[in-house]
Amino acid sequence: PALAPHGQQQAQSAAKRLRQVLEKAQLPLPSKIFTSPMTRAVETANFVADEFAIKSLYVEEGLTESVYEHWMRQWAVPGANSDWGGPPHSCMPQGRNTGDPRLVRGTPVAE
């Protein structure tokens, strides 16, 4: 499910706090964000991306909790795709051609 309004406020506050902590410690600010394909994780990552003016947000399948793929997939962002190596009946349909499935915001960043 999507973040509730209170969850959105928490994510935005956490992003602002992360900036404060990094700046106080004189640590570099993030330049890329990788997130799980779960909708709530992507929403939270978007608040962090906004705080740090990061234009690209990448979804990494490996960051997904894989307790039970079919159940977890119902909360993934549309177009998320991966070969989990689990039982065939629990795999997400393959063969989708959506470009880089990790990119859900902005344009690709040179590696």
Side-chain angles (χ1 to χ4, degrees):
L3 288 174
H6 183 69
Q8 292 173 356
Q9 292 171 345
Q10 288 177 319
Q12 189 172 31
S13 295
K16 291 181 184 310
R17 179 70 177 135
L18 178 59
R19 174 182 282 284
Q20 292 170 350
V21 169
L22 291 174
E23 288 177 345
K24 183 176 182 181
Q26 297 181 346
L27 293 171
L29 301 180
S31 60
K32 292 183 183 179
I33 296 177
F34 293 84
T35 181
S36 155
M38 300 299 114
T39 302
R40 293 159 61 107
V42 173
E43 287 181 289
T44 300
N46 269 314
F47 283 105
V48 177
D50 288 343
E51 179 65 29
F52 292 98
I54 296 172
K55 297 188 185 314
S56 295
L57 181 67
Y58 290 92
V59 172
E60 279 295 331
E61 294 291 332
L63 298 175
T64 301
E65 296 177 27
S66 57
V67 176
Y68 181 61
E69 179 186 2
H70 182 71
W71 184 83
M72 298 298 280
R73 288 279 184 197
Q74 69 183 328
W75 311 115
V77 291
N81 197 1
S82 178
D83 178 11
W84 288 47
H89 65 278
S90 68
C91 293
M92 189 167 191
Q94 299 296 314
R96 293 183 181 177
N97 187 7
T98 58
D100 186 346
R102 300 179 309 160
L103 184 64
V104 294
R105 170 185 171 137
T107 56
V109 176
E111 298 290 330

